[in-house]
Structures are given as structure tokens and as C-alpha cells.
Amino acid sequence: MTTMKDVASHAGVSTATVSRVLNGHAAPTQETRARVLAAIEELGYRPNALARSLRTTATKTFGLVISDLVNPFFAEIARAVEQEARAHGYCVVLANADESAEQQTTYVRTLLDRRVDGLLVCPATDDAAWMDEVVATGLPLVLLDRSVPGADCPVVRVDGAEALADLAATLVGAGHERVGVIAGPSDTSTGRERLAQFGSALAELGHPVHPDHVVHGDFRWESGKQAAAKLMGLPDRPTALVAMDNLMGLGALEQVRELGLSVPGDVGIAVYDDQPWFPLLDPPLTVIAQPTVEMGRAAARCLIALIADEQPPDVDLTARLVKRGSCGETGRG
Amino acid sequence: MTTMKDVASHAGVSTATVSRVLNGHAAPTQETRARVLAAIEELGYRPNALARSLRTTATKTFGLVISDLVNPFFAEIARAVEQEARAHGYCVVLANADESAEQQTTYVRTLLDRRVDGLLVCPATDDAAWMDEVVATGLPLVLLDRSVPGADCPVVRVDGAEALADLAATLVGAGHERVGVIAGPSDTSTGRERLAQFGSALAELGHPVHPDHVVHGDFRWESGKQAAAKLMGLPDRPTALVAMDNLMGLGALEQVRELGLSVPGDVGIAVYDDQPWFPLLDPPLTVIAQPTVEMGRAAARCLIALIADEQPPDVDLTARLVKRGSCGETGRG
DNA sequence: CTGGGTCATGTAATCGATTCCAGTGCACGA
DNA sequence: TCGTGCACTGGAATCGATTACATGACCCAG
């Protein structure tokens, strides 16, 4: 590879001058500037980002740690983060934790070692030992989607309380007596919050969720399927299922179909998270839609602000209910 | 941040020794090794990957350039690449080209500057100016999913000829007289090949595709929707639509539904690419399934082999037809 | 004509690691 | 006892950039 030294000698100047030209300093003459640029062009020189970063202690890179890339919810976020980062001249190193806390810790360490300029993390669980290490280095950090107890950094999250209340009302209005909930892991903030908010909304309407009608999954397809199997196998089975994540929802739908039940005829289904193709499902799913693109964007902007030594506030977006009839709400309510 | 020098003085040794301990060299005594490790532990030292990479000219990083992260097909590939890379101690820098050739070139340059150890690219188009730059640096390169003319590097691709022939036979068997094709861009290898292979398979069966019944999209939802609108608006409209990519297929399905047509009653639909939730669509889609995970894995392994100075062969996987009835094949054929 | 200031440029230190080469200490064989 | 070899360790160069400081040319005012 050609280095700055090559360019310098080729242009008959010192490396300092080449560097100044490269970084747009005022100093160099139009004439030397031209000579240097010509040399760069001629040699096909490209600066070594590693060397530059080592010297400047800036990598123009974000680390993005997400818990599951095949979950379209996270894929959309990742895409949005990447777009916003790119617009500001940053690259994104992607780390897929596969919903594992250890994997996540390992990755955070790797990203620290690589001296990323900032870290965006969707925490896999509440266990935030990794956070201490990050805080110790003073690296800008933003939490995304899920928060963790005692976190001392900006958090970008989505408030689903209202949407869940709307959903509860819709379900009750559609005549559902017993609502089964396929909740997320109770060691994630979203797992806990969604369940709590939805539960209290239903309780307020006089239809509290029966403890047996709550099953915890792990935000993945298979767990949703199993949860649905369990719930629908109960003697007093639910008349509607609410899955607190899109993959679990799809798993539940698959299970219900395999049981030969019709939706919403035999059982209603609603799902947290929306996808462009949800209207094409059989039946089109009633969902709680989160502004994923806005989440990713906001998180990236937040991180950029942190890097600029500003003190960005938390970002709270809101989810909203989208009715498509899979709870029988058009037919009945 | 604590550096190696800190560790060295804290342990009363030189940086050379610390480095040797860190890299598992044979030299240091058990005793000094212990002292160094203790110092590392005590100071919470973590090596600076930038400095190391600068010296060793290895970053343990792959660059992965894909054309669209929200396309679940690519998301799956990205995930598989990431897993395989991680298993071999590599990180993945993700670059999303958004199906734009320029964007792709920009990203390739950035990745070169960052001295990634290897590059995995799903080329956005046949225009491979960027490839010359990569070849010039001698950086290991593997093409994924799509190839480009005159590419002198390993390619991991999927052969869909047989599956497309099966699909053609299935359509003809189901009584479809006129098949509309929503093809990919003709400046991508997959766009061209799939169309050609499918076209000749139908021709061999005595049902050549009418030129008016071929519309090119850009592998995205909206283009599939528009293509379907165009095709279904023809006086002699197709009795079946085949979309050569999952997003275009979903767009087509959406359009057909908006037109109030039933599938497969009024028009059959088949799609290239499968997804876990395709069986849950209305109707479940007949597809040509590609082994995405295997693609990603194979590509990563291929790259690792290249880095190890081996000469891995091209990888050719095969797609297969999965019938789910959306072409009327259960009812009619 | 000269001293001080401005401006472009070069010299060299530096970032934090790795690694070649040389030096030290010790054991062992003659 | 002394030379030889081996094992361990340290000094210092190096990777490729950035940047503080020094230098020299040049200009202008006094």
C-alpha cells in the first residue's frame, strides 16, 4: 500500500504538508496543494484509517449491539441507525447478541477494544455488568428499545401504555372474556412493562388477566408457538391471545392454525410490533405499531449529540394501535 | 485509558514482556506471567485494537456490503455471516448500499481505508468499477448472491434453474396459459439469470412468456406492486404472476388484493425466496426457497480460506421449489 | 537598511501496540 | 574453572498517520 510518505516524496514535500492538504488546513499554497493532490491521484493513495484513528483517538465508528438481527423489528432499527450514522460520516459495526447476555458482554468488550466512538445497545437482559465497563471508559452510550435498572445514560424507548390500553378496550369491546398474554422475558424492561401496562388496563376495565393466562416467552418464534399451545390447552382457554413481540405473535398464529382454530372466529390474536406484510397475513393482524425507523434515527442522533459533549434528553416515542380485525373487533365491536 | 506501558511499569517489566504474555508467547516465566496478568487485572487494562492492527496489519474484521438490510433475505445472510465470522474471531462491519451502485462504491472505499481483512459483497449492479480498486489492493474478496461479469474472485451463489423449471412445470400443470414475470433489474446477474432460466423452461413446455408479460422491478416492494398493477391491467392479462424476489412478490400480492382478485382463484402467485412466515400468508405462498443461512456461512468460510491464502472454489448451492398452493397447483395440478 | 511579523513548510515527537536484536544470568559439560 | 548454549528479558525501531514547534523566506514599516 502506498503511504503518506510515498505521496510526500512523490510531490516533493513533507508528510506534514500532505496531511495538511488532506485535512483541509489553511496553510498550504494553492500550488503545493495542487501538487500534493496530483501525487495522491497518481499513486492512488488512500489514507490508513487505523493510523489516523490511533493518532486522533477517533474512529468515526459506532458499535451497534442488538439482540436478534433476524427479528425484523431489530433489522429495521439497524437499518435506520446505519442510515443516520452514514449521514454523519460514521460507520456502524454490527454485533448480534442472539438474546444472550454473555454474548452481549463479549461484544461490548470487543467494541471497546476497537475504540468505537460510541455505543448503541439494545440490552438483552437487565443484567448490566457490561455497562460498568463502558461507563468506566467514559464512552458515549445510548440504550435502545429496552432500558436497564440504574442506567445512567440516554434511553430511546417507545411508550406503549396508551396503545395497550386501546387494545385492552378493543378486546373487551369485542366481547373477549379471557385474554391470554404471551409476554416477553421478565428480565427485560419491555417484557415487564408491556405485561404490566396491559394487565392493569384490562383490570381497570373489569377483566383482569388470570395468572394462568400469562406465559413468558423469549421474544422468539418458537417460544410464542409453545406459549400458544400451552394457553390453548387450558381447560378454560383464552378467547384471545396477545403476543408482546412480532416473532412470538407469528409463532402463536402458526400454533393456532395447526390446532385447526380459526382467527378471529375461535380465538382473537393481537401482536406487538408491526410489519409491512402483516396486512397480507391470514388474517391481517391487529397490532401495536412502533416507530422503528424513528427509534433508530433518534438513537443515532442522540449518540452523536453525546459525542459532541451535549446532554441529549431521553427520547420517548409512542406506539399506536392498528386494528385489522384479527381480534374480531370489526365484526363484534 | 490505561496502556501497555502502565501495565509494564506496574508489573515491573518491559512492554515487550507484557506483549509476550498477551500473545501467548512461550518466553515469559510462569512467575512474570502471573505478575503481568495481575497488573492487567488490577488496572483493568484492555489492549488497543487500533494500535495492534496498525502494527500487525490485521484487523480481524470483515466488511459486509449488502444491498438492502430490510430485505429479510439479506438480513438472514447478514446474520449467518456474522455468526460464522464470530466463530472465527472476526467482527463484521455492516454496510448497507440501499441498492445503489454509488453508495456501494463509497462504502467499499471506506472499508478499504479501515483495512478490513476481507470483503463480502452482494453487488448492487453489474457496474463493478469498485472491484478494480479492491483487486488493486489485493484484498480478499468474495461475491455473494450475485456475480458480476469478469469478476476474478470466488462467488457464492444459488442455482435456481432446476427449481424454476419445476415451477414452470407446476404452473403449466395447473393450467396457467399466460404467466407474467416480475423480474429483477437486468443489470444484476440474478435479475437476468432467473428470468432467462424461467423463460426457457416455460418455452420448452410450449408456453413461452409473452414479452409484454415481463416487467422489471428493482427487488423492492413498491416496484413489485407497480409491476403487478401493470401486468394485471393488460387486456390479455396473465393467469399467474411470478416475482423473482420476496419483496416484489409481497408488493404484487398486495396489489392483487387491492384489485379485489382472489389468489389463486383469479391469479396464481409464486415468489422467489422463502420466509418463515410465508405459510401464514393469505394464501400461503408457493416459493423457491434459497438456503440463506448456508449462503452466509459458506461465504464467510470462503473468505476465511482466502485470507489463509488458500484458493477456495466457487460455492454453488441449489434452490428448491416449495408448493403451498398459491398457484392453484393443489387444486388444479 | 533593518527588525519584527506573517506565512508556508519541514522536523520530530507521538499515539499504543509488536518484534527483531542484543544482553544478562544460569546451568552444564569439558 | 571456564566457555558455550539456552532461556528470559529489555531496548528500540516500526506501523502510518497528526501536530506542536522550529525554521526560513519574504514583506513592510520605521
Side-chain angles (χ1 to χ4, degrees), chain A residues 3-4 19 23 45 47-48 55:
Chain A
T3 75
M4 216 164 85
S19 174
N23 294 291
Y45 166 74
N48 183 326
R55 190 62 238 257

Side-chain angles (χ1 to χ4, degrees), chain B residues 41-72:
Chain B
E41 176 75 13
E42 196 163 334
L43 299 175
Y45 166 74
R46 303 241 75 210
N48 183 326
L50 292 175
R52 181 194 302 237
S53 293
L54 175 60
R55 189 63 240 260
T56 61
T57 66
T59 50
K60 281 294 186 175
T61 305
F62 292 160
L64 172 62
V65 183
I66 60 178
S67 23
D68 184 6
L69 190 58
V70 280
N71 187 329

